[in-house]
Amino acid sequence: MKIIFLGAPGAGKGTQAEIFSARLGIPTISTGNILRAAIQAGTEVGLQAKALIDAGQLVPDQVILAIVKERLSHDDCAKGFILDGVPRTLAQAQAMEDMGIVIDRVVDLEVPDEAIIQRMSGRRVCESCGAPYHVEANPSKTEGICDHCGGKLVTRKDDRAETVKERLEVYHSVTEPLKDFYGERGLLCTVPGDKGSLEDVSAAIAKTLGV
Ligand code: AP5
């Protein structure tokens, strides 16, 4: 199954992508995590992306498309994959279609802006593997330590309130039009991302995906 998780920053894409990756046995490709790893490693892409991410702006389409093309060429993507946070411009979506990337379903997680702003203040991420947590809704078993890899949990720099507001503006103006793009292709399914617990949201996604 080839799935895109679409939604505003903080809608729960990464959290749910991780759950469904384990459940379906397919990898998650998170361009945000790949870019943060590149920043940590000090690569050319990382240097180019850092200021843009810290300011809540998007990284250029050609950089993102090169990352996606390279990652999808790995053997583990042969059976399927989950795209988390990509595409997020019409140009990226069109280019991926032109590259012959066929998508089965696009899960749009809908969460109101006010709920997102509140959520982001409690988010922690693993600085090693990128796994997302929340101090109340999804805490790690040991405080400050990742359940998966034992890495340190940190607050993302772009989760500052002013940056979250900027990211939401970018989302509404540049990424939200993708709902029409995939709706016209009959691929879009919309799931409320703030109704109930993480498990309730997972159950709603599973139902819509038929898995
Ligand atoms: P990226 O890392 O993709 O950030 P994002 O899309 O802004 O999404 P987030 O990771 O912030 O949120 P999420 O939806 O995954 O939510 P999460 O599951 O963590 O991208 C970062 C930056 O990289 C971008 O700003 C851009 O600069 C650049 N970039 C990346 N891809 C790009 C692209 N394609 N093109 C151009 N630039 C790109 O959940 C959030 C919190 O809520 C967590 O704490 C979680 O535990 C909690 N939570 C989740 N579900 C629930 C629930 N049901 N109830 C309560 N809490 C919940």
Side-chain angles (χ1 to χ4, degrees), residues 1-4 103-107 186-189 208-209:
M1 200 173 238
K2 294 166 182 163
I3 307 166
I4 292 173
I103 299 297
D104 299 310
R105 298 297 267 171
V106 177
V107 178
L187 299 176
L188 191 76
C189 43
T208 192
L209 290 176

Side-chain angles (χ1 to χ4, degrees), residues 66-132:
I67 289 173
V68 171
K69 194 173 172 194
E70 194 282 327
R71 183 61 187 86
L72 289 183
S73 70
H74 293 205
D75 288 347
D76 65 342
C77 295
K79 276 201 306 167
F81 49 79
I82 297 173
L83 294 174
D84 160 20
V86 64
R88 67 172 88 190
T89 67
L90 283 170
Q92 289 176 19
Q94 189 59 59
M96 283 170 50
E97 198 170 87
D98 296 345
M99 280 154 67
I101 299 170
V102 177
I103 299 297
D104 299 310
R105 298 297 267 171
V106 177
V107 178
D108 167 37
L109 284 173
E110 286 287 326
V111 179
D113 287 5
E114 313 78 67
I116 283 180
I117 290 167
Q118 217 175 9
R119 254 187 206 185
M120 298 303 236
S121 62
R123 174 161 62 177
R124 302 291 179 270
V125 295
C126 173
E127 70 176 357
S128 301
C129 73

Side-chain angles (χ1 to χ4, degrees), residues 9-10 13-15 31 36 57 88 92 123 133 156 167:
K13 304 180 295 294
T15 302
T31 40
R36 280 184 288 278
Q57 297 294 321
R88 67 172 88 190
Q92 289 176 19
R123 174 161 62 177
Y133 296 86
R156 265 169 54 175
R167 287 163 65 200

Side-chain angles (χ1 to χ4, degrees), residues 21 53 197:
S21 168
I53 292 181
S197 64

Side-chain angles (χ1 to χ4, degrees), residues 6 45 50 55 80 84 89 96 116-117 143 149 154 157 190 208:
L6 188 69
V45 166
K50 188 177 183 325
D84 160 20
T89 67
M96 283 170 50
I116 283 180
I117 290 167
E143 198 185 327
C149 72
V154 296
K157 213 171 170 189
T190 301
T208 192

